[in-house]
Amino acid sequence: MAQFTLHRQTPLRATLNVTKNWTGSLGIWGASAGAAVLLFLSVTPLVKREVLQKVPVLGSYYEDKTPASDKPF
């Protein structure tokens, strides 16, 4: 007959187990939230200049090629 035994778990081990279970899900949600923020703020000049233009492959897409005479300010 099988015996049922309880094993004590330290608080650190319990925290590590919970963290290990949630790491993948939180990583996916965090990356999705970051992409959404960049998508919504991509029309802001500060985000274009300071973040998006510095991306190695896509930086030239976000450069402002409008002549100075056509800008209102």
Side-chain angles (χ1 to χ4, degrees), residues 15-43:
T15 304
L16 288 176
N17 284 339
V18 170
T19 303
K20 190 175 12 173
N21 291 337
W22 283 93
T23 301
S25 178
L26 291 177
I28 291 171
W29 278 99
S32 301
V37 165
L38 275 179
L39 175 68
F40 292 132
L41 293 177
S42 67
V43 296

Side-chain angles (χ1 to χ4, degrees), residues 34-61:
V37 165
L38 275 179
L39 175 68
F40 292 132
L41 293 177
S42 67
V43 296
T44 308
L46 181 66
V47 174
K48 277 186 184 180
R49 185 177 56 244
E50 297 296 326
V51 178
L52 296 175
Q53 285 182 359
K54 295 181 181 178
V55 175
V57 177
L58 301 174
S60 63
Y61 177 77

